[in-house]
Amino acid sequence: MISHRDRNAQRIAALDERAEALGLKRGMGIADARAMHPAIDIEEADAQADRLLLEGLADWCDRYTPLVALDGADGLFLDIAGCAHLFGGERAMLDTMLTRFLQQGFIARAGIASAAGAAWAAARFASGSIVAVGEEAALLAPLPLSALRIEPAVRESLESVGLRRVGAVMATPRAPLARRFGALLLERLDQALGRSDEAVSPRLPAAPLSVERHLAEPITQIEEIERLTASLSQTLKHDLERRGEGARALGLMLFRVDGAVSQIAIGTSRPLRDPLLIQKLFHERLAATGQEYEVGYGFDLVRLSVLSVAAFDMQQTDLTGEIKDAEADIALFADRVRARLGDNAVRRPISVASHLPERSIALVAFTDAPASKSKNRVPSISLSERPVRLFRSPEPVEVPATELPEGPPLHFRWRRALYRVVRAEGPERIAPEWWRESIPDAMAKEGEDAGEVKNRAVAEKTASLTRDYFRIEDAEGRRYWLFRQGLYDAGRTSPRWFMHGIFA
Amino acid sequence: MKPEPPCDTPGASRYIEFGVQSNFSFLRGASRPEELVVAASLLGYAGIGLADRNSVAGVVRAWSQSKHIKPAADAAPAAFAYRPGCRLVFCDGMPDVLAYPRDREGWGHLCRMLTQANLRDENEKGATLLRGADLLEWGERMSLAVLADLSRAKDQMTLLRQIKDRFGEAVRLAVAPAYRGDDRFRIEQAAAMASALGLRLMATNDVLYHTSARRPLQDVLTAIRLNVPVAEAGLELAANAERHLKPPAEMARLFRRYPEAVEETWRFKKELGFSLGELQHNYPDEPTRDGATPQQELERLAKEGAAERYPGGAPASVTERIREELRLIEKMGYARYFLTVHDIVRFARSQGILCQGRGSAANSVVCFCIGITPVGPDKIDTLFERFISEERNEPPDIDVDFEHERREEVMQYIYAKYSGKRTALAAAVTSYRARSALREVAKAMGLSDDVRSGLSSSIWGSSSSELGEREAKAGGLDKADPVTRQVMDLANEIMGFPRHLTQHVGGFVITKDRLDEIVPIVKTAMDERKMVEWDKDDLDAVGLLKVDVLALGMLSCLRRAFDLLEDHYEDAHDDYGRSYTLATLPPEDASVYDMICRADTLGVFQIESRAQMSMLPRLKPKEFYDLVIEVAIVRPGPIQGDMVHPYLRRREQKEKVEYYKDELKAILGKTCGVPLFQEQAMKIAIVAGGFKPGEADELRRAMATFKRTGTIHNYRDRMVNGMADKGYPRDFAERCFKQIEGFGEYGFPESHAASFALLVYASCWFKTFYPDVFCAAILNSQPMGFYAPAQLVRDAQDHGIEVREADVNFSGWDCALEEAAFDPGKVLARHGDMRGVIKSRHAVRLGFRQIKGLSDKHMEAFVARRGNGYASVRDVWLRSGLDVAEIEKLAQADAFRSLGLDRRAALWAVRALDGKSAAEKLPLFDRPGIALRELEPEAALPKMPPGEHVIHDYRSLGLSLKAHPVSFLRKRLDGCGVMPNALLASAKNGRRVRVAGLVLVRQRPGKGNAIFLTLEDEKAVANIIFWPRVFDRFRPIVMGAKFVCVTGKLQSETGVVHIVAEKIEDFTPWLAVLQEGAGGDGLASESGEAQSNGHGDLSRQASALLDSGTQKVMPKGRNFQ
């Protein structure tokens, strides 16, 4: 069952047959539904994903006509004027379309009419029908008002005066209707009856330039795709030259036999029309993005489109044929490395807000370095208090004697050498990040209640993991960053010392 | 926590911590004030201060706790010193200052300073914009410790010098170890600054929690405050757990280079002479006649009142009682308190606002005589001493209920009389309850949304009981998982923490002196309302006067009933020819009690719920005191204590009354040996459990707030053991204790129950004799009570009252009475006894208030412009000033019948109106009275079938006078062998029956396992009981269906008929029959399966689409716990 949020209440947005069999209904509150059936599975509606799916289907429908429009959350308009003959006529087109949807696992309903409104109604209330010009009224008359694509409020007010079917509305004089229910009602009616035109705005602008090839035999090999790309881009080159333009972005659309459509896009830093370069870029892209699409049973339609163009300036190069553009070079370098080795190949360090020194630095991918985010939080620890070199992992140090309970060491032994402490500053006390650690069960002592036991456990655990950092200078003037883990009065375990970094 | 060994460093025990923030520094401090005080005393501190951020909201709690600290035998002789103060946090760069008043005057200054900062115009609610100038203005008579920001030493010096120049010796420089690696340097730096300025250095630890184990909680609070998960809060969290109360020896060690800084805390303390006890008894002066003292004035009023209450002279016992009470009042100095309440009540009466007092101190004869309470000592035991006890020395407490719609007038009067300087509302502390605690902690711990909603939905209501396994499971979490455990532990820890202060619903603090010198005043969400920083308990503890001005819907209803009675029934008056009032309604009328015994109490005060109704035929109230018991008995206290059934058995003489001991006979004599009232339980604790009176009350308070202190077990053992030692059965003692537990939050003292019982009687009186008046009055007072207007109207109709539809030409905003003969023949057989009793002579005309979405202001104008009546929809539009949407609402309510238009025709006409309002139109053809034929073709609209009308009535009015929805289905129901509910009363006990009806109410009382369902058909209701096994099987239908059919065994006991359900069927889809278009010509459904080609068979499918509309309109049934 799918829920969605409607004015602060979770309601049922969609449900399957089993849920329907339990007596649940669309629009019902989730709280009520749960009260009835505590065991139901509820999934939050993901409008985003639904939208993506619908757009995927729209992509697939691109094969029938370039003019595909989204309609609401669950419908598509296809303007097939002038296309139907390519698929063997309207009936054949409708049938193959429905069959192919079914094969893909969708239950689709479709209708064809010369008026968008009539097609809308036909698809929803008489799937599979083709409404001939002039037959719209006959189709619509027995249908409920929701076949008219009108606002629920208008529908309700029509129903409240007893007009419950499209036929009843058609039979009512127009002037009183317009006066009471607005012009939109009549417009919808006219659109459905084909009396007025309705423009369907396609979701994708038709690409400025596009070449495609239908394949009788689906292709599966990457080499074949590349070869096809090369020959398509050869065709494109002429078109681009004729227009004096170059491509800034190119898209390769691969229509899979079973309906999935993959689009592989490349951007270029400069207008481009050289088929070789285009082919090369796609080559790298295809190699790198091999996982983004699945070949499946192969592609039966390949289309190469120029998504955006720019004027192609013929550039005079110097005699060496080199163009100096440092910034582009770095980006190009990064792009190429990333294209070849993946997005994580190039990393940069950032500082992280954490008191624990080893957590205060992290490496992130080159692209998602959050330049702005790190500026928001001004670190309150000044860098001069931190060593220039921080060890990846602290190294154990032997400390024979300190001033109790929290003084610096007097001597320490590190990597077998003995150091005498001349000056020391500290302690800087850093407690563990408790939310990463679990608190051990503590045995109750006599006379303690549960709360006290827990408090003692927390305090002991904290104390045994707390670090006291010292900045230390030895007799030679070298400076170290040492810490003692565990406080002296923490009890069971005696503290241990570590070296965590050195100052220059 | 274990006590530290006595410290050997000299002077260490003289350390006092002054930099202390409690959880009243919201989302910063992580310990309760009480915890801090206790921890300090256990650590061997000589004392502690409390200084929350710009607030003194927590100081009273700490003070109350500090009074319980008894110096240990081996401790220093000096008592534990608690000092209230405030941490001043400025918005203009001034460093934080710990401000502690030296005396009463200094406290006044502190309050003035905070009030000034709280009330700045530019402040958001709840914000405090304190400026350095405020300190310079009001800082006299205080000792100040400045917590300078040492990283900005230079500009801090300037500011420090400013403070020092102004306040001289009173100023210290306070410094706390920070454990950032440079403490030695910082403290030296502070010392250098101090000596440069001639200030003394003072040590503090800048405490945020009483034990280091609270660091995780403090981090969570920080995360909540910043609205980020803990794991992402990063450097905003504290790096370590050092800001707890440290042993004095440890403080001495940390400041070992500056022992004088530690010693300075002792000197600081010695300058502070203020205690919150000094604020006590600041009662306002009321004007008295001839300059009499308040006590004399009260005595005079009591005397005059007594003469009025007892026209034949007060009985000796009463006079004796009055004398005794007045003596006590004089001794405690409470006379002015009673005068203040008396004046408020007097004002309300003078305005015709119905009111009556209750609450602890209302339980006195004096209150009865001066008119605060309506129930005299002849009706109940008044136990004044229990409420004003000499030993507790807490102020009396009187709550006054007013009509809910007119309470505002009373509040305005109080403001006008005492002005904002001397009165404000009490605060109510909103604290973390189970649900909010879990939600916020889970969020701070980074749990995902769905887990969080699962977790918090596992909690019923606003509980504050310990969270555990059950809740974890509901959220799909494993209690063994460490994160889950952390979340649960932290949520349990944070529970009861204050979140913010809000205004108390009606608790007024009134003082004689300037209020803003007693306690800081803060803004509330409402501009004109101000409140103080202390809540009810704090005010009690400090001993300030507080009056609860509360709103009660039934009082509004009764006032309306009295008005209607006076307007329409000139023969209804008392023996002296005066109109009836609450006090003069004919008492103890047998007809009224007869009706109550029949449980014919739908709509009346308190005894209208299902549980109450089923109790009535068993309890059979015969006199006023029975009503008092009835009101008190169906409450969580007696139910939890399992006192109800023993009482009923004893009353029905099925069980012997036993007192165990004579000492209890005096306490429990009136209630057959079963404690039903709060004071009875208290008295048992005193007499049998060996508690002192003050302790018994403490026990009750501990129950209400036990989350705060968590010492409940001690009390339980003490009481149960105490009673067992004296020879009482252990289970009786357990039950008594359980009952006190239940009383903690939902207790009814006897006087309280008596005040309510009076309203029960009054509302029943109206319902008995004038069901028309009662119906109109209660409809006009909605929303209130247990039942929806549909049931109230039905009940009136069942009693033979005609109810007429709302109509544009007859209705007003309120429901009104219209002359109509009463036909006893119309009274249902079931209420046949009432035929000779009812005195009604009117019909009820529904008012526009019943129609959803209309506003009273517009509709009153509509009525005023009605003149000789509206002639058409167009006329309404032109003259009434209503806009089209409003007229449409009238049409949808079918209110144009007097114009010959049914709902559909009226709607059609309304839709033809255009524009927002008629006023914008040129009046060319629009003159009223001229019937302009509409120049448009006739539209033939189908007729609306009756069932559809009923649906629309429900949608627009919430009820239908045309027919009951079930009546349309009766034939079909008959076919299924369903028995009409009306016949149940005459059916044989034990018979298996089928009944059907709309679900009115689902109820799952208390911790009971049974689920009650009330079904309504066109004639009567049926009461269904589901036992858990059956319920679990049919849960979806019980909870989801609106119209059901139940099969089960009929059970009849002393006139109460139940059906024990065996099976339930969902008949909700049947309601679709009412809808037009259902049945013969169903429409194609959008959700239907894909259809075969062509459009021939479209109409075959029945319309699931349409009936969902009907189902939405029908009431869902209300759920009660």
Side-chain angles (χ1 to χ4, degrees), chain B residues 904-943:
Chain B
R904 194 161 270 177
L907 273 175
W908 186 251
V910 172
R911 293 264 150 69
L913 310 171
D914 51 321
K916 272 255 172 259
S917 101
E920 296 156 19
K921 302 293 280 187
L922 287 175
L924 189 52
F925 296 106
D926 287 348
R927 266 179 300 153
I930 299 178
L932 254 183
R933 237 185 51 169
E934 298 229 325
L935 296 174
E936 60 178 15
E938 284 288 323
L941 300 174
K943 260 220 141 353

Side-chain angles (χ1 to χ4, degrees), chain A residues 32 35-37 125 143 157 161-162 164-165 179-180 353 355 406 426-427 429 431-432 434-435 437 439 455, chain B residues 179 181 213 215 219 230 234 237 239-240 242 253 485-486 904 908 911-912 936 1035-1036 1076 1081 1083 1098 1116:
Chain A
D32 297 339
M36 288 167 63
H37 301 279
F125 294 91
L143 297 184
S157 57
V161 295
R164 318 183 74 87
R165 284 165 196 283
R179 184 171 169 193
R180 288 170 174 83
H355 288 290
E406 52 184 35
R429 186 161 289 180
W434 54 269
W435 56 93
E437 325 275 346
I439 289 150
N455 278 358
Chain B
Y179 276 94
R215 168 175 171 252
D219 284 347
V230 169
L237 304 177
N240 53 48
E242 294 304 310
R253 190 189 65 77
R485 268 204 356 213
Q486 275 179 342
R904 194 161 270 177
W908 186 251
R911 293 264 150 69
E936 60 178 15
R1035 183 189 174 96
E1076 176 175 27
D1081 63 341
L1083 295 182
L1098 283 178
K1116 258 171 66 175

